[in-house]
């Protein structure tokens, strides 16, 4: 079932999300606890934050910023959705106060060490947004959820080994579905993207025979057309008959795109907030202490668990050199982990499972 509020924010996701509350005139990163109000998310703070990164969470961040600033007069949060790779680079370069990334800091690239040097304290990966990745398509006569794909079919379609929608292998998995003879036109992210990396991790885990490349933020396939950011992929699929792409569910919803059911071996699973949350519930925390890096089980066969999962992390300093900045980061993220989780379903995301959400709240409370 399509959701109807995402369009309100999706059109602005490509631009910087600068939403200034009344009573704040500062353009520099600063903050302090104040009397702006309190609620289930804790005390408000005043000042300005700069953040950058994941486009996957852009729709959620838009809503959260708007709601937080209405609740906490005197706070300004600026979020620029430039992509996960850019967000990490800007955070480690000291240009933003926190980053959004669809992948945790990568030790193989020296990112945790660079972040610790920038913070002069350990940096933490805090999962905040469950944004399942949809296999979205545009095929005449097939509606949302009207097509079932297995991991090997997904891999072969994106790698150009299956090139037509009425291929016998696709028809075999979709008995009774009228699939037209239409070329498959693949679209992928042309920029460095945590969405790409998570999608490739799914293919590597669930279809290892067909997909053999090492997952990365740069798409490794050799067929199709690259499009910049989530918005580019969304627009390309929606305007192309036979189009196929991987995209965050919130953008599939806002673009009114049909999405496939995925059968990992435990039965066909439709993509919705509940099945996405069930998929994340199979993950393990592999970070230490207050770092909550997750190991997702992309190959899960748990009934009712949607397996192509993306979790966006907010990457923060455990202790900020400016305590006022730390106070505002702490206040804002406390809001996103409490009241903010309640708005996610209507935006095309899933809230964190309660067991993980409790850990996130605990880590946030330790930010200084």
């Amino acid at each position: 079932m399509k959701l109807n509020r995402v369009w309100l924010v999706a059109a602005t996701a490509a631009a910087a999300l600068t939403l200034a509350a009344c009573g704040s005139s500062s353009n520099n990163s600063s903050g302090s606890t104040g009397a702006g109000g309190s609620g289930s998310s804790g005390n408000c703070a005043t000042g300005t934050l700069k953040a950058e990164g994941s486009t996957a969470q852009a729709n959620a961040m838009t809503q959260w910023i708007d709601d937080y600033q209405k609740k906490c007069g005197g706070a300004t949060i600026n979020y620029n959705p430039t992509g996960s790779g850019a967000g990490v680079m800007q955070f480690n370069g000291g240009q933003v106060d926190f980053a959004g990334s669809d992948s945790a800091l990568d030790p193989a690239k020296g990112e945790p060490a660079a972040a610790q040097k920038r913070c002069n304290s350990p940096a933490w990966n805090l999962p905040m947004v469950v944004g399942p990745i949809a296999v979205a398509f545009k095929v005449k006569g097939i509606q949302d959820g009207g097509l079932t794909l297995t991991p090997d079919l997904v891999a072969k379609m994106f790698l150009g080994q299956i090139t037509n929608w009425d291929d016998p292998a696709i028809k075999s998995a979709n008995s009774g579905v009228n699939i037209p003879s239409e070329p498959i036109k693949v679209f992928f992210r042309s920029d460095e993207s945590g969405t790409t990396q998570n999608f490739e991790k799914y293919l590597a885990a669930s279809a290892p025979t067909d997909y053999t490349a090492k997952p990365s933020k740069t798409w490794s396939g050799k067929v199709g057309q690259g499009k910049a950011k989530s918005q580019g992929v969304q627009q390309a699929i929606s305007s192309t008959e036979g189009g196929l792409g991987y995209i965050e569910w919130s953008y599939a919803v806002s673009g009114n795109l049909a999405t496939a059911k995925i059968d990992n071996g435990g039965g066909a699973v439709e993509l919705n907030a509940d099945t996405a949350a069930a998929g994340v519930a199979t993950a393990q925390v592999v970070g230490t202490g207050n770092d909550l890096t997750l190991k997702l089980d992309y190959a899960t066969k748990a009934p009712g668990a949607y397996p192509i999962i993306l979790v966006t992390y907010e990457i923060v300093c455990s202790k900020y050199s400016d305590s006022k900045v730390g106070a505002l980061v702490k206040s804002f993220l406390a809001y996103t982990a409490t009241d903010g989780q309640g708005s996610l379903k209507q935006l095309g995301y899933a809230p964190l499972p309660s067991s993980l959400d409790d850990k996130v709240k605990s880590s946030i409370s330790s930010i200084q």
Side-chain angles (χ1 to χ4, degrees), residues 27-364:
N27 291 321
N28 299 314
S29 296
S30 63
S32 64
T33 55
S38 63
S40 61
S41 55
N43 292 329
C44 290
T46 60
T48 299
L49 291 180
K50 293 185 293 184
E52 187 169 337
S54 166
T55 61
Q57 70 168 359
N59 294 337
M61 192 61 71
T62 301
Q63 186 70 55
W64 285 343
I65 290 172
D66 187 35
D67 292 344
Y68 179 80
Q69 292 181 158
K70 288 177 180 176
K71 175 183 182 297
C72 297
T76 301
I77 316 294
N78 303 312
Y79 183 78
N80 193 10
T82 55
S84 297
V88 171
M89 183 182 302
Q90 291 292 80
F91 178 77
N92 285 350
Q95 300 303 303
V96 295
D97 301 308
F98 70 90
S101 177
D102 305 329
S103 297
L105 294 171
D106 188 351
K109 295 182 177 180
E111 291 174 346
Q116 178 158 342
K117 182 178 179 180
R118 169 260 194 270
C119 294
N120 199 27
S121 67
W124 295 338
N125 301 279
L126 304 180
M128 194 65 68
V129 181
V130 177
I133 301 172
V135 177
F137 61 90
K138 183 178 182 182
V139 179
K140 288 180 181 177
I142 304 181
Q143 304 301 315
D144 186 42
L147 187 75
T148 296
L149 297 176
T150 58
D152 62 310
L153 287 176
V154 175
K156 290 175 180 177
M157 293 166 77
F158 276 92
L159 293 176
Q161 297 170 12
I162 293 178
T163 59
N164 221 61
W165 281 102
D166 67 344
D167 186 279
I170 298 177
K171 295 178 72 173
S172 177
N174 291 275
S175 178
V177 179
N178 184 20
I179 304 176
S181 179
E182 182 79 44
I184 297 171
K185 299 170 184 175
V186 173
F187 297 101
F188 56 88
R189 287 281 292 272
S190 60
D191 54 319
E192 277 202 357
S193 165
T195 305
T196 295
Q197 187 172 36
N198 279 272
F199 184 61
E200 291 194 354
K201 285 180 178 179
Y202 166 74
L203 295 177
S206 298
T209 300
D210 298 297
Y211 184 86
T212 58
K214 181 180 179 180
S216 73
K217 292 180 180 178
T218 302
W219 175 243
S220 60
K222 306 300 181 184
V223 301
Q225 298 180 44
K227 300 295 179 179
K229 301 186 172 64
S230 303
Q231 300 88 342
V233 176
Q234 177 201 62
Q235 292 165 8
I237 299 171
S238 65
S239 62
T240 305
E241 193 62 41
L244 173 73
Y246 59 90
I247 190 171
E248 300 86 353
W249 184 41
S250 67
Y251 286 90
V253 172
S254 66
N256 199 33
L257 300 177
T259 63
K261 295 178 181 176
I262 301 297
D263 188 347
N264 250 29
V269 180
E270 184 176 359
L271 173 52
N272 58 50
D274 293 332
T275 60
V280 174
T282 66
Q284 294 180 325
V285 176
V286 295
T288 58
N290 286 311
D291 177 75
L292 300 178
T293 300
L294 299 176
K295 181 180 181 181
L296 301 175
D297 185 5
Y298 300 99
T300 181
K301 294 179 174 59
Y306 186 80
I308 316 179
I309 295 297
L310 175 152
V311 174
T312 299
Y313 298 89
E314 310 310 334
I315 299 173
V316 302
C317 297
S318 55
K319 184 175 182 178
Y320 285 83
S321 57
D322 185 337
S323 62
K324 295 179 180 180
V325 172
L328 186 50
V329 170
K330 182 176 182 176
S331 175
F332 177 63
L333 294 187
Y335 176 83
T336 67
T338 51
D339 297 355
Q341 293 294 304
S343 64
L344 289 179
K345 283 188 177 183
Q346 61 191 349
L347 295 172
Y349 301 95
L352 295 170
S354 58
S355 58
L356 180 58
D357 193 35
D358 289 341
K359 293 182 175 68
V360 171
K361 292 172 187 173
S362 177
S363 292
I364 291 171

